[in-house]
Amino acid sequence: PEPAQLPVAAPPPRSPRQAPRAGRCAKVLDFEAARRERKRTQKEIADELGVRRTTLLGWVGRAARNSLTPAQKAFFESPDGVQFLRLLLVAALFVMNLRGGLGVAMVRAFFTFTGLHTLVACSETSLRKTRKALIAAAGAWGDAQDAALAKGMAPKEIIGAFDENFHDAMMLVAMDAESDFVLVEKVSERRDGKTWATVMREALTRWPAVKLIGLIGDEAKGLIRCALVELNLLKGSDLFHVQHEICRGVSGAIGRMVRAAEKSRDKARAALDAVRRAHAAYLTQTHGPGRPPNWEAREKAAELALEEAEQHVVDASAHREAMRSSVRELGLRDHPVDLRTGALLSAETVESRLLEGFDAIWSCAAGAGLGDTNARVIEAIAKAQRVLPSLVGWAAAWFELVHKRLGALKLLEDEQQWVLSSLLPATYLRRASRRAADAAARETLRELVEQKVAALTAQGSPWCAWDAATRARVMSAVEGCVDLFVRTSSNVEGRNGQLSLHHHHTHRLTPDLLKALTVIHNDVLTRPDGTTAAERFTGQKHDDLVAHLVALTPQPARSRMRKCRERPPMLAAA
């Protein structure tokens, strides 16, 4: 025969000790079931199963050496039980270590307290090996998923949120502001405009359908140059940094003023108590001739001093609360829609509202006696106000994008005007109602949204005249316009906080670990609606990372049951 037709030699039989654990459990179950029939010998059963009799008896004996109940033993010593142990091992490492930042010692403690340490090899060395394999597999899976999702992704325009962190080394972080998808997490020695632009161009090559049209960040010169010069994008200022700059410069001065007032109040209260004690002691003693002290006048003066000091505390606390309210109010003013009436605002109106907000902050500082004397306070407020043109410019650029997108819908003039004046504000308010600071504000905005929705669906509105396809097309465009108005890069700040927790535990974010953490953020963490960042970013469902890791991880080995080695005392007892 031809060489290609020669029979292929069968591989040598695999040692039973190397057989998968689930297969060994199945053979033990078959062995015990055959033994219960009491018609065949152990040797006959072993020959039928293809395993040595002594090996089978060893497997049976090892399965019996644990503290499980018969029902637990029946499950965990079955193929389904072994599969569940594999799932439990991967889930414990994934949740506690990779997501929670706990060490493998905590995972080992979990298995010990549950009594499963006799069934799963969970020494720290074994857990570290499994952890390392999970990290490598997660990174490779993430690259494959990104490549697959990028092929089926529809064209999309996004606003990026940019910032840096300094946990292990300087790291550049960029995310899609709307979906929270991490585009870049890269260690870099520089953060100038050219470096940022190079990093972003490299990241966007993996997503051909994505077009970056603007970025939100602080006032770092590198980010400004990256946007305006290197990439020719819109540049928006982070409102959080504006508010933080004011708070950082003002809070210390107002806090010292409140503490000084409280200290004066405590001294006045102590002085009043001293006068009253002295009066009480005077009454218990006998005195010679002469005019007694005017205790009533002394106590009255001390009471007046205490009232004045308490009023100073009230005034100082009122100044501090007024400053806090004014800074918060600055955030409520930076909207293209009036959150109280639901009316669409122009860029000029947004500018005047922000100016009124800064005027209120200056008035609070002046009322507290800080506006003319404290140079740090003056510089902090002035520095924050210098960002005002950027905030107004971002609002103006958003209005231009809105008109451009709505113009592409080819609606009638009155229909487009209705979308601008009614549908767009209602959609914006609906998003703002989910992000309000407290329950009362959310409820107020929801009531306003309900009123707007009732007017939208009233008889005679364009919405009632459109068919389902037109409604979907218009609504998609309006929601896309709303998503483009981004005021802060707080999602990047939150991501930096997560990385800080992991760095606090490991003291070093290796490239493989950082890649795995990025994949977990994009493809595992979900919002209350159950969507991941990758789903929101690409508009597509993706595979399950945990299921992939479970399928890839080998079945867990049994732990080696060793007796604790007794250490003899260094010196024998007498």
Side-chain angles (χ1 to χ4, degrees):
E2 297 294 331
Q5 299 175 351
L6 291 174
V8 180
R14 191 177 183 183
S15 170
R17 294 182 182 275
Q18 298 176 352
R21 183 174 173 180
R24 299 199 300 268
C25 290
K27 289 184 181 296
V28 169
L29 292 177
D30 294 340
F31 178 71
E32 292 180 339
R35 288 178 60 186
R36 284 193 293 269
E37 296 178 1
R38 298 183 179 179
K39 294 181 181 179
R40 289 179 292 174
T41 64
Q42 295 179 357
K43 182 70 168 57
E44 292 174 345
I45 300 171
D47 291 341
E48 181 180 339
L49 295 176
V51 184
R52 293 178 181 274
R53 183 183 69 85
T54 54
T55 301
L56 273 173
L57 293 178
W59 291 349
V60 172
R62 186 167 187 182
R65 290 195 298 269
N66 54 54
S67 58
L68 300 178
T69 65
Q72 293 171 343
K73 188 180 301 182
F75 174 69
F76 286 114
E77 295 297 342
S78 67
D80 288 341
V82 173
Q83 178 63 20
F84 177 75
L85 289 176
R86 175 164 67 172
L87 172 62
L88 190 64
L89 174 63
V90 173
L93 277 171
F94 187 84
V95 174
M96 297 183 191
N97 184 270
L98 295 183
R99 282 192 58 176
L102 300 178
V104 293
M106 297 295 102
V107 181
R108 174 175 171 79
F110 166 76
F111 281 101
T112 301
F113 287 135
T114 57
L116 299 177
H117 63 291
T118 59
L119 300 175
V120 177
C122 56
S123 66
E124 293 192 19
T125 300
S126 176
L127 291 175
R128 287 193 185 97
K129 290 181 179 179
T130 306
R131 173 184 180 271
K132 184 177 180 180
L134 292 181
I135 290 174
W141 179 90
D143 290 336
Q145 285 294 305
D146 288 351
L149 293 174
K151 292 180 180 179
M153 188 174 177
K156 183 176 183 178
E157 294 180 340
I158 65 170
I159 302 294
F162 291 18
D163 202 1
E164 309 93 4
N165 63 54
F166 301 86
H167 304 311
D168 191 16
M170 187 174 66
M171 184 186 302
L172 307 182
V173 182
M175 300 173 65
D176 174 28
E178 190 274 326
S179 67
D180 290 345
F181 186 84
V182 176
L183 296 167
V184 169
E185 276 184 337
K186 184 175 182 179
V187 175
S188 175
E189 296 182 356
R190 300 175 61 85
R191 51 174 173 165
D192 56 274
K194 289 186 178 180
T195 302
W196 265 113
T198 302
V199 169
M200 287 309 303
R201 289 191 185 100
E202 179 183 350
L204 293 175
T205 55
R206 301 195 298 269
W207 304 98
V210 175
K211 180 181 179 182
L212 184 66
I213 63 174
L215 66 88
I216 290 288
D218 55 26
E219 299 307 297
K221 295 181 180 179
L223 289 181
I224 296 175
R225 179 176 179 83
C226 171
L228 303 181
V229 179
E230 300 294 337
L231 298 179
N232 193 23
L233 304 175
L234 302 173
K235 169 63 174 70
S237 295
D238 189 342
L239 180 64
F240 164 77
H241 284 85
V242 174
Q243 295 173 309
H244 177 67
E245 188 66 37
I246 299 173
C247 292
R248 187 173 62 175
V250 174
S251 59
I254 291 187
R256 286 191 296 271
M257 183 176 66
V258 172
R259 289 191 296 271
E262 290 174 345
K263 187 176 181 180
S264 299
R265 178 198 58 191
D266 294 340
K267 287 183 178 180
R269 184 176 292 134
L272 177 59
D273 293 340
V275 170
R276 289 173 176 173
R277 287 195 302 270
H279 187 194
Y282 181 83
L283 295 177
T284 60
Q285 300 173 359
T286 58
H287 302 279
R291 180 180 298 177
N294 191 348
W295 293 108
E296 183 178 355
R298 292 184 181 182
E299 188 171 345
K300 184 65 174 178
E303 290 176 350
L304 291 175
L306 178 58
E307 291 178 1
E308 184 179 356
E310 289 177 341
Q311 186 60 44
H312 287 163
V313 173
V314 172
D315 294 341
S317 299
H319 289 313
R320 179 171 59 183
E321 187 57 35
M323 180 62 72
R324 288 177 179 174
S325 300
S326 298
V327 174
R328 293 193 189 103
E329 184 71 18
L330 199 64
L332 299 177
R333 295 174 182 274
D334 188 25
H335 286 282
V337 175
D338 192 329
L339 301 186
R340 294 182 176 87
T341 64
L344 186 68
L345 306 175
S346 64
E348 293 76 13
T349 306
V350 173
E351 181 179 15
S352 63
R353 285 161 57 89
L354 289 173
L355 283 173
E356 291 174 0
F358 277 106
D359 289 342
I361 292 173
W362 283 113
S363 298
C364 290
L370 304 174
D372 297 325
T373 58
N374 195 305
R376 182 178 176 85
V377 171
I378 297 172
E379 174 58 26
I381 301 177
K383 182 178 179 181
Q385 191 166 357
R386 286 196 290 270
V387 186
L388 179 60
S390 178
L391 297 175
V392 177
W394 182 256
W398 180 78
F399 279 109
E400 292 181 4
L401 290 173
V402 168
H403 285 286
K404 179 180 178 181
R405 289 197 171 193
L406 295 184
L409 296 175
K410 305 298 183 182
L411 300 175
L412 299 177
E413 185 176 351
D414 58 340
E415 291 177 339
Q416 183 170 339
Q417 185 60 35
W418 178 82
V419 171
L420 276 173
S421 61
S422 300
L423 184 58
L424 180 64
T427 307
Y428 188 93
L429 290 174
R430 184 170 178 267
R431 188 187 72 166
S433 66
R434 299 193 298 265
R435 302 180 178 182
D438 51 52
R442 288 192 292 271
E443 183 62 27
T444 301
L445 286 174
R446 289 193 191 104
E447 294 176 357
L448 184 57
V449 170
E450 291 176 359
Q451 298 174 8
K452 292 290 183 180
V453 170
L456 292 175
T457 56
Q459 190 66 27
S461 70
W463 185 264
C464 299
W466 290 338
D467 55 18
T470 304
R471 290 179 180 180
R473 183 167 57 91
V474 173
M475 199 66 202
S476 176
V478 170
E479 290 177 345
C481 292
V482 169
D483 292 336
L484 290 179
F485 191 81
V486 182
R487 303 184 304 155
T488 178
S489 58
S490 57
N491 53 351
V492 181
E493 300 290 346
R495 178 59 181 165
N496 290 341
Q498 293 177 353
L499 293 179
S500 177
L501 293 177
H502 285 280
H503 181 263
H504 180 72
H505 165 64
T506 61
H507 302 290
R508 181 166 178 252
L509 295 175
T510 63
D512 289 343
L513 176 59
L514 181 61
K515 176 62 178 177
L517 294 178
T518 304
V519 173
I520 291 172
H521 175 91
N522 287 340
D523 300 274
V524 178
L525 302 185
T526 59
R527 284 182 181 174
D529 60 0
T531 60
T532 64
E535 291 174 357
R536 296 187 296 270
F537 180 67
T538 63
Q540 307 169 76
K541 288 287 186 179
H542 55 76
D543 296 337
D544 190 341
L545 172 59
V546 177
H548 172 77
L549 295 179
V550 172
L552 201 64
T553 303
Q555 296 173 358
R558 291 181 183 273
S559 59
R560 298 179 63 182
M561 305 301 294
R562 296 179 177 178
K563 294 183 179 180
C564 295
R565 184 178 300 176
E566 297 183 0
R567 295 184 179 181
M570 186 177 66
L571 299 176

